[in-house]
Amino acid sequence: PFGPVTMAAISLLTGPFATFFFTMFCVFEILSQEFHKWSHMTLSQTPKWANQLQNLGLTISRGPHAQHHIAPYDGNYCIISGVCNPVLDKTGFFRWVEHVVYKLNGVESNAWKLDPELKAKTLRGEYALEASSQ
C-alpha cells in the first residue's frame, strides 16, 4: 500500500514531514521482517553483519526467539530485538490483546487451542504469564 503512487499522494496532501515519517515507517517495517527472518536462519545463512547485530542484542537472536516457538506458544512475541519480551510477558500485554481480539471478532489465539487453561485464565482477566513460561 505504500508504493510510489501512495507516497506521492501523501507528499502532495500532507507535506514532507509526513512523507518522511511514512518512508521511515516502511523502511523499519521491512527491516523488522528481515530481523525476524534471520532469527530463523543458521549463522552461515545470514550476513555476517546481521550475526553481529544479533550478538550485540540489537536484533532478536536465534535462542531467545526460539522460545516463542515452544508450546504452548504463550510468550516472547517481540520479533525485532526481544528487549520488551520480559515486561510484556510479565504484564500480560499479549494475553490482554488476545482477549480484546476475541471479544471483537471471536477468533481464538492459537495458544488457547493448545492450552485450555491459558484460555480460561485469559478470559478471567488473569493476563500475566507465570515465570516458567517466559
Side-chain angles (χ1 to χ4, degrees):
F2 288 106
V5 174
T6 304
M7 293 308 292
I10 290 171
S11 183
L12 288 172
L13 295 172
T14 61
F17 294 109
T19 303
F20 179 74
F21 170 80
F22 282 108
T23 300
M24 297 310 296
F25 176 85
C26 291
V27 166
F28 284 108
E29 194 282 328
I30 291 167
L31 282 175
S32 74
Q33 295 304 311
E34 287 298 301
F35 298 157
H36 179 234
K37 178 181 79 175
W38 293 331
S39 72
H40 287 269
M41 299 167 70
T42 65
L43 284 170
S44 63
Q45 293 174 316
T46 54
K48 289 182 181 178
W49 61 269
N51 291 326
Q52 193 61 26
L53 289 174
Q54 289 180 343
N55 292 340
L56 293 170
L58 298 174
T59 64
I60 190 93
S61 61
R62 292 157 191 84
H65 183 66
Q67 296 300 309
H68 169 73
H69 293 283
I70 297 173
Y73 314 102
D74 62 355
N76 297 298
Y77 286 175
C78 298
I79 64 168
I80 296 175
S81 72
V83 170
C84 297
N85 278 328
V87 171
L88 294 175
D89 288 348
K90 184 177 180 182
T91 61
F93 174 77
F94 291 112
R95 298 283 76 73
W96 174 80
V97 170
E98 290 170 352
H99 195 180
V100 169
V101 168
Y102 179 72
K103 284 178 163 177
L104 290 173
N105 64 17
V107 175
E108 293 186 8
S109 160
N110 287 332
W112 293 6
K113 296 170 188 170
L114 298 169
D115 186 350
E117 181 55 28
L118 180 64
K119 176 181 178 180
K121 285 181 180 180
T122 302
L123 293 177
R124 287 192 305 264
E126 299 170 19
Y127 301 128
L129 294 179
E130 297 180 22
S132 62
S133 297
Q134 298 174 20

